[in-house]
Amino acid sequence: MKNRLLIILFGLLFCIPNVNAQNDNLEPVESIFDDYDFQFEYYSLIRKVLMNGMSDYPEVRFLIIPSFSVEEVVAIEKENEKYFIVHHKMSKSIWYTDKNKEKIKVKKKKVEISESDMKLYKELFKKAITHRKYPDKEIMGLDGVNYYFSVADRPLKTGTVWSPKSGSKMDRLKEVGYSLISLANDTKEDEKVELKTELIERIKKLTTEIK
């Protein structure tokens, strides 16, 4: 009974107000005053546990909240005039852990990235967030992933998308977000990230297409 209730509540977490949109854009993020109490408590734990030690004002941030697996986040942050990809991933789901949520271990990785490569991501995220739109038609869904994209743009601005349609611009944006995680995981901590030409061109192409 308890597990069934958790699933129902988690479905509400994603269905209200985060839903699958007909338009191929990020959606605005609602105010904390529009959240249910359980949503506010959960998001507070995301910030306190998953994002512990991360900058409150990153250049870009990509937050992943799935329905049934662990939460993770990746960001590009500035530190001592250098830029770093910072990746945090929960070892267990915050939502489905019953007790001692704040003691769940977080897997962390940090690698350096060049300023020019950082700017590629920042320009894309800024473009996508600038063109946020509410959906023309809302479709409810329980099993999927909610993605949050943030960019430092005086102040930090955020847009979200729920399990975008395969091949859509928002699906490609999601894949660019995941590329930051791959770069962090595939690069040794004493080395600097190197973007392949294919990824650079993919980011540039998507940046021009979003509108």
Side-chain angles (χ1 to χ4, degrees):
M1 182 66 182
K2 183 177 180 181
N3 288 337
R4 184 180 297 176
L5 180 60
L6 282 173
I7 291 172
I8 292 171
L9 286 175
F10 206 58
L12 287 172
L13 174 67
F14 287 102
C15 288
I16 308 172
N18 298 313
V19 291
N20 197 4
Q22 292 294 304
N23 58 288
D24 196 8
N25 295 81
L26 293 179
E27 295 179 35
V29 174
E30 303 297 338
S31 163
I32 60 171
F33 300 106
D34 300 321
D35 289 338
Y36 291 91
D37 286 344
F38 72 88
Q39 288 178 296
F40 180 78
E41 292 172 5
Y42 175 65
Y43 292 139
S44 296
L45 282 168
I46 289 288
R47 187 181 181 95
K48 187 174 183 179
V49 181
L50 177 62
M51 296 182 181
N52 183 36
M54 299 182 76
S55 172
D56 292 332
Y57 193 69
E59 299 298 325
V60 300
R61 179 193 291 147
F62 176 53
L63 171 64
I64 304 165
I65 302 183
S67 296
F68 300 107
S69 55
V70 300
E71 304 89 352
E72 62 183 308
V73 62
V74 64
I76 300 179
E77 302 178 359
K78 187 175 183 179
E79 182 180 325
N80 297 324
E81 302 306 315
K82 293 182 179 180
Y83 295 91
F84 295 89
I85 300 175
V86 182
H87 178 222
H88 287 189
K89 184 175 183 177
M90 300 303 302
S91 58
K92 294 194 300 182
S93 168
I94 294 175
W95 178 261
Y96 289 105
T97 299
D98 292 332
K99 299 179 180 179
N100 300 318
K101 294 176 182 285
E102 295 182 16
K103 294 183 179 180
I104 303 173
K105 292 183 178 180
V106 182
K107 302 173 185 177
K108 301 180 179 182
K109 186 74 179 289
K110 180 179 178 180
V111 293
E112 187 177 353
I113 185 172
S114 69
E115 182 176 4
S116 59
D117 288 343
M118 176 279 294
K119 287 180 177 179
L120 285 172
Y121 282 95
K122 188 170 183 178
E123 183 180 359
L124 173 58
F125 278 37
K126 185 175 180 179
K127 184 82 174 291
I129 291 166
T130 298
H131 288 83
R132 290 169 294 186
K133 294 180 181 178
Y134 284 103
D136 300 323
K137 182 179 180 181
E138 298 181 348
I139 303 175
M140 297 304 213
L142 292 176
D143 185 5
V145 184
N146 222 347
Y147 300 100
Y148 291 87
F149 297 83
S150 301
V151 66
D153 189 29
R154 298 188 303 273
L156 196 71
K157 297 177 182 176
T158 300
T160 185
V161 64
W162 161 262
S163 292
K165 182 179 178 181
S166 178
S168 66
K169 290 193 288 289
M170 292 303 98
D171 183 59
R172 290 155 58 198
L173 178 66
K174 172 206 73 178
E175 292 303 319
V176 170
Y178 274 112
S179 74
L180 281 171
I181 296 175
S182 297
L183 289 168
N185 290 333
D186 296 341
T187 305
K188 295 180 180 179
E189 291 188 346
D190 59 347
E191 296 179 352
K192 182 182 284 189
V193 163
E194 291 186 11
L195 270 64
K196 294 182 178 179
T197 302
E198 181 275 333
L199 176 57
I200 293 173
E201 293 305 315
R202 188 151 48 99
I203 294 172
K204 288 181 177 179
K205 185 174 187 293
L206 183 55
T207 302
T208 62
E209 291 179 7
I210 291 177
K211 55 185 177 180

